[in-house]
Amino acid sequence: MSTEQASSTADSTAAHSTEGAYVRRGKPFDRDMNYISDRITLDGRDGWPVEAGRYRLIAARACPWANRTLISRRLLGLEDAISVGMPGPTHDKRSWTFDLDEGAVDPVLGYERLQQAYFARFPDYPRGITVPALVDVPSKAVVTNDFQQITLDFATEWTAFHREGAPDLYPEPLREEIDALNKWMLHRINNAVYKVGFAGDQESYEQEYRELWAALDELEERLSDRRYLMGESITEADVRLFPTLIRFDPVYFGHFKANRQMLSTMPHLWNYTKDLFQTPGFGDTVDLQQIKRHYYYVHEDINPTQVVPLGPDMSTLLDPHDRDRFATNTWGEGGTAPEAPYAAEVVDPAHTPLHVRGR
């Protein structure tokens, strides 16, 4: 999610992870969950009113937490209301950089580093420079990096700018259950792979490994009798789970030593992953080459050679899945699939088995 923590008082024995938390030898992985809590809302109660064209989403394709926001933005049709800037897959210890853009400068903000947007608001910002981040374009200052709240606000505060046929990703009757599932997944799945991969000793690793796999087994069972996590339709819960699952076989299995078995050997989870990958708005946001480049290159403490593996073969994501056997209303009442992404936002065809032609 981020580069290293910005604090200059860090323990010298601690290695900074790309996820904004310290990794200390002999201790479990501990993610810093303190984010900028400001929200962009319809009533503007935090000083940031919903306004088309005012904010820019900075979201690296390599990052699973940022991947959620790219999916949500696509599904809801917010491309015209919220512009997007995409840093490259690697970064230095200071910040994500806009090295994919011409001149290595974000064309809207004029920044070389996301760090500049943080410092524009907080000159002595002491925490990780994380993605996703929403930046106020007029002031070029960061508004929020609270990845858990951003997609919820996309679904509930930005409704005036949703496309016709946008799905209700956070339906009121299901919110309590979605919130509970999301909280469980955060600790047992989404963040758990990092607790396995960055475990500082054998005992911590084995404990986290067993807890992760127990949770994946629970999801395998849950998906045995329904198409999506909440039933017949896609919700915020699916948006949060997919980025972890799509990274599992190419990264978490080997790089993070979460290697009981590959996800592709678990019929319900794998067919669910294939199903979502083939669904507009999900797979067309995934850049598998950037994902592998990020983890294997940036995590020098885990992979000091920085060699990026060529495998595994992910073309099986395009194989037929069996999820059509379940009752399905993918987009909800009155909902439709999103249009193709804008040409400028299409993933390089060489980086994914899913070939999408842009608008």
Side-chain angles (χ1 to χ4, degrees), residues 82-124:
I82 305 171
S83 68
V84 68
M86 296 184 186
T90 62
H91 50 66
D92 58 25
K93 292 183 177 181
R94 289 171 56 194
S95 175
W96 293 90
T97 56
F98 295 102
D99 50 289
L100 300 180
D101 291 306
E102 185 175 353
V105 173
D106 180 87
V108 173
L109 301 175
Y111 288 153
E112 296 178 353
R113 298 173 173 277
L114 178 57
Q115 183 186 57
Q116 292 168 271
Y118 279 72
F119 287 176
R121 185 171 175 203
F122 306 106
D124 298 314

Side-chain angles (χ1 to χ4, degrees), residues 1-6 18-20 35 91 93-96 113-119 122 125-133 142 145:
M1 182 185 305
S2 77
T3 57
E4 72 167 24
Q5 299 280 38
T18 61
E19 300 302 318
Y35 295 93
H91 50 66
K93 292 183 177 181
R94 289 171 56 194
S95 175
W96 293 90
R113 298 173 173 277
L114 178 57
Q115 183 186 57
Q116 292 168 271
Y118 279 72
F119 287 176
F122 306 106
Y125 188 71
R127 318 199 83 85
I129 307 298
T130 66
V131 292
V142 67
N145 62 346

Side-chain angles (χ1 to χ4, degrees), residues 210-348:
R210 293 189 181 97
E211 290 187 4
L212 169 65
W213 279 105
L216 286 169
D217 286 339
E218 285 189 49
L219 287 182
E220 174 77 356
E221 179 64 25
R222 184 184 184 98
L223 290 167
S224 68
D225 63 2
R226 66 191 76 190
R227 184 156 187 175
Y228 306 110
L229 287 172
M230 299 305 299
E232 298 181 7
S233 303
I234 288 170
T235 67
E236 171 76 11
D238 301 293
V239 172
R240 295 194 183 200
L241 178 60
F242 174 77
T244 298
L245 298 185
I246 200 64
R247 286 160 175 76
F248 198 91
D249 284 5
V251 175
Y252 304 146
F253 174 83
H255 184 57
F256 279 179
K257 299 183 284 294
N259 57 358
R260 190 189 76 179
Q261 63 192 101
M262 296 187 81
L263 199 69
S264 56
T265 67
M266 303 182 76
H268 303 305
L269 273 169
W270 186 240
N271 277 290
Y272 167 82
T273 302
K274 289 192 294 182
D275 184 9
L276 288 182
F277 184 80
Q278 296 169 32
T279 299
F282 284 86
D284 54 35
T285 69
V286 174
D287 189 315
L288 291 166
Q289 182 168 310
Q290 285 197 27
I291 288 170
K292 291 199 295 184
R293 175 74 172 174
H294 171 74
Y295 284 92
Y296 286 97
Y297 189 85
V298 172
H299 295 168
E300 292 184 68
D301 49 339
I302 298 177
N303 186 39
T305 66
Q306 296 180 301
V307 172
V308 180
L310 294 177
D313 178 8
M314 298 295 287
S315 63
T316 56
L317 285 165
L318 300 182
D319 289 348
H321 58 77
D322 62 0
R323 308 299 290 174
D324 293 318
R325 72 186 191 274
F326 299 120
T328 300
N329 184 13
T330 298
W331 306 111
E333 293 304 319
T336 59
E339 295 182 34
Y342 285 119
E345 297 181 18
V346 172
V347 176
D348 186 335

